[in-house]
Amino acid sequence: MHFTDLFIRRPVLALVVSLLITIAGLQAIRSLNVRQYPRSENAAVTVTTVYVGASADLVRGFVTTPLERAIAAADGIDYIESQSTLGLSTIKVRLKLNYDSTRALAEISSKVDQVRNDLPPEAEVPVINIESADSAFASAYLSFSSDVLLQNEITDYLTRVVQPRLAAVEGVQRADILGARTFAMRVWLKPERMAAFNVSPAQVRQALASNNYLAALGQTKGALIQINLTANTNLQTVQEFKQLVIRQQDGAFVRLEDIADIVLGAENYTQEVRFSGQTAVFMGIWSLPNANALDVIQRIRQEMEAIQRDLPQGISARVAYDATEYIQDAINEVIKTLIETLLIVVVVIFLFLGSLRSVLVPVVAIPLSLIGAVFLMQVFGFTVNLLTLLAIVLSVGLVVDDAIVMVENVERLLRKGLRPLDAAIQGARELIGPVIATTIVLAAVYAPIGLQGGLTGALFQEFVFTLAGAVIISTVVALTLSPMMSAYLLKPDIEDHGLAATSVRLFNRASKGYGRLLDYTLRWRPAVYLVWVVITLLAVPLYLMSPVELAPSEDQGVIFGILEASADASLDQTSLYAAAANDIFLGIPETDFTFQLTSATSGFGGLVTKPWEQRERTVFQILPEVQQKLSGIPGIRMFPVTPPALPGGGDFPVEFVLASTADTEQILQFAQQLQFKAMQSGMFLFPPIIDVKIDQPQSEFIIDRDKVAMLGLDLKQVGGDLAAMVGGDYVNRFDIAGRSYKVIPQIQRTDRLTPEQLQNIHVTGPAGQLIPLSTIATIRNSTVPRSLNRLQQLNAVKLSGISMRPLDEALKFLEDEATKILPAGYTIDYTGESRQLRTESGRFLPAFALAVALIFLVLSAQFNSFRDPFVILAGSVPLGMFGALLFTFLKIPDPNVGFWTSGWTTTLNIYSQVGLVTLVGLVAKNGILIVEFANQQQLIGLPKLEAIRQASIIRLRPILMTSAATIAGHFPLTLVSGAGAAARNSIGLVLVGGMFIGSLFTLFVVPSIYMLVARDHDKERG
């Protein structure tokens, strides 16, 4: 008794197996988390060190360099990028993909601790943060604005009330305040009053440090009682700070209020935050990696409703941006596509079979297979994301194949006169081998993708294993439930009337026509071989000449604006121009709201569009209009960009780095030459941005060291006085209602408008008397870089931009031009999306070759022959590749140039490449059906030519049915629009085009190659 006989003779057993699959899948649905992309270990560690007032050169030499050198010794690092600016060192350590981020964080923290004592004592303790690539943006952003309260007052309310409530919501990883202005006691020093009272800056800092002291006294220990002790050695209110005695002479006190204005202000005034033009403070909500983001933000919305009822008068709050809306829209679009696919596949099957009884068998197999795949997702710890949902959509056209083949074979035997039960038993026995072979082939074709590593492997592992799982479950259904249903549903006379009879007549005509064409090609096999060789060879240039990018850009409903201002601009000046940019954003009809974070020389903002159903234009159609209008704003440059399509990308698609041990100025000269070449090429939306700009005005106080020595002073004392007056570093902290805030003395703004004003301030002189700074110092003006950047511990300059051509073409242009002009000792490197593309570009061909090799070996074991697998693969794979690559080769590289092919072509990207690998298994299935049946025909005595002819004609109907079901199942992907449509469209075009053209050629090429290569069993018998 064969395996399938058991389920046909015992139908309850087949039903029990199917019900178990259904129950397992249904219980799994509720437990799966929802994300935009599969979770992967793709993290970056950021080490931030504040050195208040220090120049960029000082920060690089004494902070960035020792930290970089220590961090570089840690394991798991892909590259290290650093930036040294005025008062700040930022080191970004990008980890290797799928490297344990917890281990890396611990090791980097240890390396930083080793060199902590080597840093300047005035530098603050380095702050280490780790951020996953898929959490670069929060799940939601909340806006709190007011026309009454100041930003520091809003910030304090959020810190005390709102932040703890939101952080306690289930599934929230952190709730961060963005654009915060934290309370601080600002001591605005008055130089002329200090000079009049003979108070030096160092004395002010010393008085604050000595008289704002936290005393921890403990408690008394009596025989019977004990009492806690404390002392009012610390200052808490503005009035207490005002009364602080700085110095006394002859019984007269000089108090802090005599030489300074003391106010409860903010730590810094270097950033402005606005929401749709109104002053605001933002909060970002990040979800836990293992939490369902959709559920988390829904709970946040419920908590926000409760918070809004308790808000003080004058504060308004709203959910400014909800990233899960895009995820939900994308999921809804996929579900919509899934429903359309199911309907189309059912209609196609019905048209071919013509009988509701016959259609019921494969139709039942579809939901069973999909539900079973959901259970396997739970077993492997997968999530519901755009890629696993795409796998479910694609599997609709695949899981139905085995059931279709089973029904068609049983119907063929019924037409020969067998009883339904006997027809089902014999039909299932005949198809055990082919069905298992095709399933193993599809599973084998996905293995290289899921196991290859890199970004493609990390993203598509869940995709391919979900797809393979659905196919495996469909095989179980096809060998258990489908034969049983065929035995009890199909009738011998089912094709004698109605649509079934019409379908049979039409197919018989098609079969006869195909037979005549097949006879013709078998007689003229040399011509077929020539066509086959030409098409196979043509696939190579089609692949090489197809435009390449990492992933198609998606309309995510947001346009970001990256702002640059002149190096000497103030926040007041930049804010005026930023407001003009905001007016442009609000003037776009599709805009829902805008947001801005503006500092003196840079900024970040953007617009969020209305939902898809409320607008007619995509963000890519809006982008040129925004770019044109923003270019007309004087005083700033703002570059509109869309977010990267995949996690881990940078601000711009093109991020091209020149690195060397040479000085930054020398590297910059070559970068400017490259920028000019790029601008001339017309390949970029705007001239690539150079991250290093030598335009920062700097005034250096040249201290006469001999005069300092003659006056009995030292440079430490002079430098300390200058830093205390101008630097803005905090001395210590004070307490308000259980929270500590900084105490910051600094010269008031009106006395530090220009460097020349600072010459009038007084520093400590001989015998404690103050002297003007101009007595011992002069000013030397110069221009220095705004920042000093490094990559892999080499001085580096980065060019960033947006390409109007495929990303690969833009990078090749820059690489070629750089090779022409760069001398020895210079290297080329990449960050962000450009690095991802260059890393992934070499992975496709090895994965493709491995997939073909695995299929070949699997089929060799199945057929016990190396010839038959060659016939199957050679007669189908090159033809399918040719058909698919036509749809990438005909893509016009410039997306801004309209062309008649634009609507149905795509680029070579990670989605279309996965589609190409998938296509190998799909087109090979047709060859398996033909070759396996031809071998059976030879074994029963037919000559080789007649065997392949009969096999091709008999298997024509199941091949057409399965191919039509697959093509119809994938066809909705070529027409989709909305959230996440570009990725689905890309893989859909490749599969539909390759399957249609590949299947058409396979019907004629496989028989001819079979005659050339396959074994002649008749001769063996002889």
Side-chain angles (χ1 to χ4, degrees):
M1 179 184 292
H2 284 76
F3 167 74
T4 53
D5 296 0
L6 178 65
F7 296 96
I8 297 171
R9 299 185 186 279
R10 302 184 65 182
V12 173
L13 179 60
L15 290 172
V16 167
V17 171
S18 300
L19 288 173
L20 287 174
I21 293 173
T22 304
I23 293 170
L26 291 176
Q27 64 82 29
I29 290 175
R30 298 180 61 84
S31 66
L32 295 177
N33 289 327
V34 180
R35 301 172 57 87
Q36 183 173 1
Y37 291 105
R39 184 166 182 253
S40 61
E41 286 281 2
N42 185 10
V45 177
T46 304
V47 182
T48 305
T49 309
V50 175
Y51 188 2
V52 176
S55 67
D57 192 52
L58 190 65
V59 170
R60 180 180 67 174
F62 290 89
V63 178
T64 305
T65 298
L67 285 175
E68 272 186 328
R69 192 183 308 118
I71 291 170
D75 290 335
I77 295 176
D78 183 14
Y79 65 91
I80 301 177
E81 193 176 13
S82 70
Q83 185 179 60
S84 302
T85 59
L86 177 68
L88 183 66
S89 165
T90 305
I91 301 173
K92 186 174 182 179
V93 184
R94 174 65 69 180
L95 303 180
K96 293 178 181 177
L97 195 63
N98 292 324
Y99 188 82
D100 186 351
S101 57
T102 304
R103 176 185 173 188
L105 179 62
E107 190 168 357
I108 290 173
S109 298
S110 174
K111 299 296 183 184
V112 170
D113 290 340
Q114 290 175 11
V115 296
R116 176 68 186 93
N117 292 331
D118 296 337
L119 304 182
E122 298 81 7
E124 296 183 13
V125 176
V127 177
I128 305 175
N129 289 316
I130 188 164
E131 185 177 78
S132 176
D134 56 2
S135 64
F137 296 101
S139 299
Y141 291 94
L142 315 178
S143 169
F144 297 84
S145 56
S146 175
D147 292 327
V148 179
L149 300 180
L150 300 175
Q151 277 185 278
N152 56 353
E153 294 171 328
I154 299 174
T155 300
D156 197 60
Y157 178 77
L158 296 182
T159 303
R160 292 176 180 272
V161 179
V162 178
Q163 190 178 39
R165 291 178 63 172
L166 295 179
V169 172
E170 182 185 353
V172 172
Q173 182 180 35
R174 68 183 196 271
D176 289 350
I177 300 176
L178 311 174
R181 284 194 176 176
T182 306
F183 274 138
M185 191 64 71
R186 300 305 303 244
V187 180
W188 298 116
L189 302 174
K190 301 176 180 179
E192 70 284 355
R193 299 282 294 173
M194 294 174 65
F197 285 105
N198 197 41
V199 175
S200 70
Q203 284 179 301
V204 175
R205 289 188 65 90
Q206 182 59 41
L208 287 170
S210 301
N211 295 288
N212 182 29
Y213 177 75
L214 300 177
L217 303 185
Q219 59 182 190
T220 64
K221 293 288 185 181
L224 299 177
I225 62 173
Q226 59 184 22
I227 299 173
N228 293 344
L229 301 175
T230 185
N232 64 338
T233 58
N234 61 312
L235 308 177
Q236 293 183 318
T237 66
V238 172
Q239 189 60 34
E240 289 180 352
F241 275 94
K242 285 183 177 181
Q243 295 300 312
L244 175 65
V245 176
I246 301 300
R247 63 187 295 262
Q248 68 87 25
Q249 186 172 1
D250 300 330
F253 292 140
V254 176
R255 301 184 185 275
L256 190 58
E257 65 179 348
D258 297 327
I259 59 170
D261 291 330
I262 299 93
V263 296
L264 185 60
E267 283 187 17
N268 66 74
Y269 299 90
T270 59
Q271 192 177 66
E272 182 181 74
V273 181
R274 292 185 177 271
F275 178 77
S276 291
Q278 189 178 25
T279 300
V281 177
F282 290 153
M283 286 192 70
I285 307 297
W286 276 264
S287 304
L288 285 168
N290 59 350
N292 187 324
L294 297 179
D295 291 344
V296 171
I297 301 306
Q298 183 59 38
R299 288 191 284 267
I300 288 291
R301 287 183 177 275
Q302 294 172 358
E303 186 64 27
M304 279 292 289
E305 291 177 1
I307 289 173
Q308 286 173 328
R309 291 193 293 269
D310 300 334
L311 286 176
Q313 188 174 0
I315 296 183
S316 60
R318 63 166 287 180
V319 178
Y321 178 65
D322 185 353
T324 63
E325 288 182 352
Y326 174 78
I327 301 174
Q328 186 64 63
D329 288 344
I331 290 173
N332 291 340
E333 288 292 332
V334 174
I335 293 173
K336 177 184 173 184
T337 305
L338 177 61
I339 295 171
E340 293 172 350
T341 301
L342 284 168
L343 293 175
I344 292 173
V345 169
V346 170
V347 170
V348 168
I349 297 171
F350 181 69
L351 291 177
F352 269 96
L353 296 177
S355 165
L356 289 176
R357 286 174 173 265
S358 302
V359 169
L360 192 60
V361 178
V363 167
V364 168
I366 297 174
L368 267 177
S369 303
L370 301 187
I371 290 173
V374 172
F375 170 67
L376 292 180
M377 288 171 60
Q378 181 194 42
V379 170
F380 292 116
F382 295 165
T383 60
V384 175
N385 54 68
L386 298 183
L387 293 176
T388 50
L389 284 174
L390 179 60
I392 295 294
V393 173
L394 290 178
S395 64
V396 173
L398 303 180
V399 298
V400 76
D401 286 0
D402 293 336
I404 288 175
V405 173
M406 186 67 67
V407 170
E408 193 280 333
N409 202 40
V410 173
E411 285 189 343
R412 180 179 63 84
L413 294 173
L414 285 174
R415 289 196 296 271
K416 288 186 174 182
L418 272 69
R419 293 185 306 112
L421 188 65
D422 296 334
I425 291 173
Q426 183 176 334
R429 289 177 178 178
E430 290 177 355
L431 290 177
I432 290 177
V435 166
I436 293 176
T438 55
T439 300
I440 295 175
V441 163
L442 283 174
V445 81
Y446 293 130
I449 302 174
L451 303 175
Q452 73 171 346
L455 179 65
T456 305
L459 282 176
F460 284 92
Q461 186 178 65
E462 294 189 12
F463 168 86
V464 296
F465 289 149
T466 299
L467 202 52
V471 172
I472 291 171
I473 295 294
S474 74
T475 301
V476 174
V477 174
L479 295 178
T480 58
L481 185 65
S482 296
M484 185 274 289
M485 292 182 67
S486 299
Y488 293 96
L489 287 178
L490 302 186
K491 303 299 179 185
D493 60 347
I494 201 168
E495 296 178 349
D496 292 344
H497 52 272
L499 182 61
T502 304
S503 175
V504 170
R505 285 197 303 271
L506 291 175
F507 177 76
N508 287 337
R509 292 178 188 174
S511 182
K512 290 177 182 178
Y514 169 69
R516 289 193 294 270
L517 290 174
L518 180 62
D519 291 340
Y520 182 80
T521 57
L522 289 174
R523 285 197 303 270
W524 295 91
R525 291 198 296 274
V528 175
Y529 299 146
L530 178 62
V531 172
W532 169 63
V533 170
V534 169
I535 290 177
T536 301
L537 294 177
L538 279 176
V540 176
L542 291 182
Y543 173 78
L544 295 176
M545 298 172 68
S546 295
V548 179
E549 63 181 345
L550 181 65
S553 299
E554 296 284 4
D555 183 347
Q556 300 185 41
V558 61
I559 295 178
F560 295 134
I562 298 174
L563 183 149
E564 282 190 352
S566 58
D568 57 354
S570 66
L571 179 60
D572 297 333
Q573 180 188 23
T574 305
S575 294
L576 293 175
Y577 298 125
N582 187 68
D583 291 339
I584 289 173
F585 288 148
L586 289 173
I588 301 298
E590 291 82 4
T591 298
D592 188 10
F593 58 84
T594 64
F595 58 91
Q596 287 181 309
L597 290 87
T598 308
S599 60
T601 61
S602 61
F604 181 78
L607 66 87
V608 175
T609 64
K610 296 174 182 176
W612 272 90
E613 60 274 9
Q614 297 180 26
R615 56 186 169 101
E616 296 181 358
R617 294 192 298 175
T618 67
V619 293
F620 307 112
Q621 293 170 322
I622 300 170
L623 195 65
E625 178 185 348
V626 174
Q627 165 70 20
Q628 182 183 8
K629 291 181 176 179
L630 289 177
S631 63
I633 301 177
I636 62 169
R637 297 172 68 199
M638 182 170 267
F639 307 97
V641 297
T642 55
L646 297 176
D651 293 333
F652 296 92
V654 177
E655 293 187 357
F656 187 82
V657 183
L658 303 181
S660 174
T661 54
D663 291 338
T664 300
E665 291 82 356
Q666 297 177 9
I667 305 173
L668 181 60
Q669 293 176 4
F670 293 111
Q672 289 170 339
Q673 294 180 43
L674 267 184
Q675 182 189 47
F676 181 72
K677 294 283 188 182
M679 185 173 59
Q680 284 185 321
S681 70
M683 296 174 62
F684 296 86
L685 187 61
F686 48 80
I689 304 168
I690 297 177
D691 65 341
V692 173
K693 296 175 177 61
I694 305 180
D695 61 354
Q696 177 67 56
Q698 176 175 287
S699 295
E700 181 180 3
F701 288 98
I702 306 299
I703 298 174
D704 190 327
R705 298 178 181 178
D706 293 340
K707 282 187 179 180
V708 169
M710 288 175 59
L711 293 172
L713 307 177
D714 58 61
L715 295 178
K716 178 182 179 181
Q717 193 173 19
V718 174
D721 281 345
L722 281 173
M725 290 290 277
V726 185
D729 196 7
Y730 76 100
V731 178
N732 48 28
R733 293 176 178 271
F734 74 105
D735 172 81
I736 300 179
R739 289 184 179 269
S740 66
Y741 302 92
K742 293 179 179 179
V743 179
I744 305 174
Q746 190 178 24
I747 189 172
Q748 59 188 359
R749 183 176 176 181
T750 54
D751 291 317
R752 53 185 169 92
L753 299 176
T754 64
E756 288 71 26
Q757 277 185 290
L758 298 178
Q759 287 188 296
N760 299 323
I761 66 175
H762 289 64
V763 296
T764 304
Q769 298 298 311
L770 300 185
I771 59 173
L773 180 62
S774 57
T775 305
I776 58 173
T778 57
I779 293 178
R780 182 170 65 193
N781 296 320
S782 61
T783 304
V784 297
R786 297 194 199 185
S787 65
L788 296 172
N789 303 337
R790 294 159 70 95
L791 183 74
Q792 303 291 50
Q793 302 185 70
L794 296 175
N795 295 332
V797 177
K798 183 191 297 184
L799 290 93
S800 304
I802 300 175
S803 171
M804 298 174 65
R805 312 278 288 184
L807 181 57
D808 180 68
E809 186 177 342
L811 291 179
K812 284 181 178 177
F813 172 81
L814 293 175
E815 290 161 356
D816 293 341
E817 294 299 325
T819 303
K820 295 176 184 176
I821 64 173
L822 291 181
Y826 282 72
T827 61
I828 293 171
D829 214 327
Y830 316 87
T831 61
E833 188 176 339
S834 298
R835 191 179 189 90
Q836 289 176 335
L837 176 64
R838 281 292 172 257
T839 303
E840 295 299 310
S841 58
R843 296 182 184 273
F844 169 67
L845 289 179
F848 182 83
L850 180 58
V852 174
L854 282 176
I855 293 175
F856 182 82
L857 295 175
V858 168
L859 291 177
S860 298
Q862 178 74 21
F863 285 91
N864 193 32
S865 167
F866 291 113
R867 294 188 181 190
D868 292 341
F870 178 81
V871 173
I872 293 167
L873 296 178
S876 58
V877 174
L879 310 175
M881 293 300 105
F882 172 80
L885 292 171
L886 277 177
F887 291 84
T888 61
F889 172 75
L890 294 175
K891 177 73 173 178
I892 295 299
D894 191 343
N896 299 294
V897 176
F899 197 66
W900 62 279
T901 64
S902 299
W904 47 271
T905 52
T906 185
T907 58
L908 269 180
N909 53 69
I910 61 173
Y911 291 100
S912 56
Q913 288 173 350
V914 169
L916 290 176
V917 177
T918 302
L919 194 60
V920 174
L922 295 182
V923 296
K925 290 178 70 173
N926 297 337
I928 292 172
L929 290 175
I930 294 174
V931 171
E932 192 274 339
F933 199 72
N935 288 343
Q936 289 184 15
Q937 295 299 303
Q938 283 202 69
L939 291 175
I940 63 175
L942 289 181
K944 183 178 178 181
L945 179 61
E946 184 60 24
I948 190 61
R949 182 181 182 278
Q950 288 295 324
S952 301
I953 294 174
I954 292 173
R955 290 302 190 207
L956 176 63
R957 192 182 187 196
I959 288 174
L960 290 180
M961 291 171 65
T962 55
S963 298
T966 302
I967 293 169
H970 297 159
F971 187 72
L973 295 174
T974 66
L975 305 176
V976 292
S977 61
R984 303 198 301 275
N985 185 264
S986 183
I987 197 169
L989 284 170
V990 167
L991 289 175
V992 170
M995 193 65 186
F996 179 79
I997 296 174
S999 298
L1000 190 63
F1001 278 109
T1002 298
L1003 290 172
F1004 299 100
V1005 174
V1006 167
S1008 295
I1009 298 180
Y1010 185 88
M1011 290 302 301
L1012 179 68
V1013 177
R1015 182 185 294 120
D1016 191 334
H1017 297 282
D1018 186 56
K1019 290 182 179 178
E1020 292 179 0
R1021 287 193 304 272

